[in-house]
Amino acid sequence: MTTTGVGPLLRLAARRDRVMVAVWFVVLLAVCFASATSTGSLYPTTAERVKAAEAINASPGIVALYGPILDVRSEGELAMTKMTVLYAVLVAIMVLFVVRRHTRVEEEGGQSELLAGTAVTRAALLASGVAFGSLVSLALGVLAAAVDVAGGLPAGGSVAFGASWAGIGLVATGLTAVACQLSASARTCAAIAAVAMGALFVLRMVGDTTDASWLSWLTPFGWSTRLRAFGETRWWLLLPYAGTALVLVGVAVALNVRRDLGSGLLAARPGPATGSPRLSGVVALALRVHTPMLLGWTLGVGVLGVVFGAITPSFDAFDSAGIQDLLRRIGGEGALRDMLLGAVISVVSVIVTCFAVAVVGHSAGDEHDGRTEQVLATATSRARAFLATLTVGVLGATWLLLVSGVALAVGVGGDTRHSFGRLVGSALAQAPAMWVVAALAVLCFAWRSRWGLLGWGMVVLFATLGQIGELLGLPGWVLDLSPYSHAPRMPLEDFRPAPALVLTVIALGLLAVSWARYRSRDIG
Amino acid sequence: MADTHDPAISVRGLVKSFGSARALDGLDLEVQTGEVHGFLGPNGAGKSTTLRSLLGLLRTDAGSATVFGLDPWRDAVAIHRRLAYVPGDVALWPNLSGGETIDLLVRMRGGDPVASRRAELLERFDLDPTKKGRAYSKGNRQKVALVAAFAADSELLVLDEPTSGLDPLMEQVFNECVAEHTGRGATVLLSSHILSEVERLADRVTIIRAGRAVETGTLEEMRHLHRNRIRAVVAGVVPDLTAVPGVHDVTVEGREVSCTVDPEGLSAALDALTLAGVEALTSAPPTLEELFLDVYRSEPDAVRP
């Protein structure tokens, strides 16, 4: 296998991705730094840290999300609780996007063909994607370690923690490289990789919250906590990350030589020779194009809801005096459950916003590629085209909130003091905040189609504002900039109509401005 | 319904800027109902910008444009019901089959694909409608858009470099399709930089350069404006044609002489050649290629040798 051309391709990748990767890095590292630097002041004494760590370990809902804290006395482990597993998922997602972008997306778009015609071998196309993903992972690992040290955590542990992020990134690189060999569709490849990563996460979740703890040893997300970065570090656990990544890349290379450029290993199924009469307008078109994605999301959000609903309210280790004390302070066991359910719901509302933003991003892609031009050259008004994006994006995301609420209520079952309807309502109460963020994404796209991807920045900004803002003790008005901060923390709190109404009006106002701009601007 | 004597498309002094770049700089264009109008220019001359303005996709800065007597920006939907458009670079929906895309586009124009000529066209263009959008080559993507455009009986076909991905056989099918549509009275606006294509199909031609129409008329009219190329082999001494008014670009090689001649200098040039004893003579009207190069070569007031 010759890999002539990897050098220039790597430089091309770095040039194309410098903004996107930089944004990911800034966000991930900022959260890392905020967590590292704030934990010491939040929990100044070892006793308080132990209490907090035991509280986390006592709640399967939190362990399911963050993983256990294996050394309850360690400041570093407590500080990096969210980072070690949950934010490592974000690292994996970033790498998925990066690697797919330089392999399958380019193949689908035809750029690979252009490149393969130059002094670049086919193997180099895959090799450069893998190399770029690996370099990004390693760089992020090094920077994460540096940021932790800067935040006041011990150097050895910081390095081990950074290595765990790099390891997750490397495994994600291999996984994506394999997934991108399978289907000719970049979307399907992303779905395959995402499902595989989701499975690895769920494996760890089950391992960490049940007696089958050996399951956690089978998945990279499990290794990240078992590495004991800030305790007696098991450095040898870094080998499985590298080994898994190498095996996956080997598989990807082997698959790559067995297929044609532009095709996937899974044979493309032929489509219908004629279009259904129902596929007759731009709204139907948008529904048709996004239905597979919506079904996937519905399934994902549904499973997530049921699993978290089932895990969240259960407690086992109540023997610790610290936990009893904690529970008393926040208003009893029921209040803790409500708080955890509320936390899950608020995470879900951010995730669901991503669906709306993805739909808006697709509309921007349609416009860039020229599909919108073809649609608007038919008897389709701009109003309908605009409506199509809104309908699928915003209504689709609202539907997903409903699904998550129902799934959560089903998962919780009878184990709650709340009615089924109140739990579903708790999820739907997040809708106005989600609408505002989605409307901001629409506004960016309406203003200029090239800005269609800025919506992702909005989601990341508002989601991390809550995370970092509280840790860094930013002033209240900064935190209040995030629409999510105005959604009621149901079921703990009660629904307040006023903020919901204001948010809804803001969302409608943003959409009105978006439409005014979209109807009067150039297309393409 | 517009009167058949009204132009299908009328553009006056159209200006469109993208930032500081002036894509259209006072463009005039008139397409008569029922004609095939060739819209010629090199890449970047403003052809696509013109077509996209006529479709109401771009908001123009100055000047006026009407299609069927309607304003393309305000009355886009009403206009689009009566036309079919094939973009220069056809992008398809990756997960829709070609057949679905064709039917979708026909339906979105208000047509009925079942009653249309799609089946016949699929056969003539040799297109497999069951492939997914991402699997088509450039030529086949073009065919999908062409079948969708030719399937219904639109009053106006707006075609942006429609044959750029087609092989010669398919170009032939394309020419037949255009002829069939003009046969039933349709108007065609055909942008191209392929001169032979326009020469074969177009009744009238507008040549555009840097966002401005530099030449417009029938091919006949344009030829009158331009010179014939004459090649002759003479028996005796080659006469000095450079002295004859209206004769240009004279080259002499042995007994063979080649030159271009203005229509008014033709008689004098032939007289001079006859005197020298003509053994062989060819005279060719300028090809569109030459008209085209003429227009492009000329700085506004350049002096010819």
Side-chain angles (χ1 to χ4, degrees), chain A residues 365-383:
Chain A
D366 283 342
E367 187 168 335
H368 175 262
D369 294 349
R371 286 180 286 271
T372 307
E373 183 180 316
Q374 283 189 76
V375 166
L376 289 179
T378 67
T380 302
S381 66
R382 286 200 187 193

Side-chain angles (χ1 to χ4, degrees), chain A residues 189-475:
Chain A
C189 292
I192 294 171
V195 165
M197 286 174 197
L200 291 175
F201 188 84
V202 168
L203 207 60
R204 178 209 60 80
M205 208 159 82
V206 175
D208 283 352
T209 53
T210 66
D211 290 337
S213 63
W214 55 273
L215 285 175
S216 297
W217 285 97
L218 299 181
T219 152
F221 294 110
W223 304 334
S224 293
T225 48
R226 274 148 191 76
L227 183 64
R228 292 171 172 272
F230 294 92
E232 308 209 344
T233 309
R234 297 169 169 138
W235 290 103
W236 58 267
L237 252 180
L238 293 180
L239 292 175
Y241 292 111
T244 310
L246 275 177
V247 169
L248 286 170
V249 168
V251 170
V253 169
L255 296 178
N256 187 44
V257 297
R258 279 174 179 75
R259 67 180 187 88
D260 297 331
L261 190 66
S263 73
L265 276 188
L266 310 172
R269 281 169 300 156
T274 58
S276 148
R278 272 173 303 162
L279 185 62
S280 61
V282 67
V283 176
L285 171 66
L287 282 172
R288 166 69 206 278
V289 166
H290 292 295
T291 296
M293 183 163 87
L294 187 58
L295 286 180
W297 275 74
T298 302
L299 199 69
V301 168
V303 170
L304 202 75
V306 171
V307 169
F308 278 104
I311 292 175
T312 305
S314 59
F315 295 91
D316 26 21
F318 279 124
D319 43 354
S320 150
I323 300 301
Q324 297 296 352
D325 179 45
L326 186 81
L327 282 178
R328 251 195 317 281
R329 265 192 294 164
I330 64 169
E333 198 181 309
L336 180 60
R337 283 178 185 175
D338 285 358
M339 207 177 71
L340 293 175
L341 283 174
V344 170
I345 287 171
S346 71
V347 169
V348 167
S349 76
V350 173
I351 294 176
V352 160
T353 314
C354 294
F355 174 83
V357 174
V359 170
V360 173
H362 261 275
S363 293
D366 283 342
E367 187 168 335
H368 175 262
D369 294 349
R371 286 180 286 271
T372 307
E373 183 180 316
Q374 283 189 76
V375 166
L376 289 179
T378 67
T380 302
S381 66
R382 286 200 187 193
R384 285 197 82 78
F386 189 69
L387 199 67
T389 302
L390 279 193
T391 310
V392 178
V394 177
L395 288 189
T398 312
W399 154 257
L400 290 173
L401 266 187
L402 175 69
V403 170
S404 69
V406 170
L408 206 60
V410 167
V412 170
D415 195 10
T416 173
R417 54 180 176 166
H418 299 302
S419 70
F420 194 90
R422 183 169 167 89
L423 287 177
V424 176
S426 303
L428 284 179
Q430 310 298 313
M434 182 269 285
W435 290 336
V436 171
V437 183
L440 280 169
V442 171
L443 180 65
C444 293
F445 158 70
W447 210 262
R448 188 167 289 187
S449 68
R450 283 171 201 285
W451 294 355
L453 296 177
L454 286 184
W456 291 110
M458 306 276 176
V459 176
V460 171
L461 179 71
F462 294 137
T464 48
L465 206 58
Q467 299 285 339
I468 310 179
E470 272 171 39
L471 290 174
L472 292 183
L474 293 179

Side-chain angles (χ1 to χ4, degrees), chain A residues 108 271-272 288 373 522-523, chain B residues 16 52 85 97 100 130 134:
Chain A
E108 198 178 52
R288 166 69 206 278
E373 183 180 316
D522 293 348
I523 295 296
Chain B
K16 173 67 191 174
R52 301 176 74 244
Y85 167 59
S97 73
E100 283 179 300
T130 64
R134 72 170 65 82

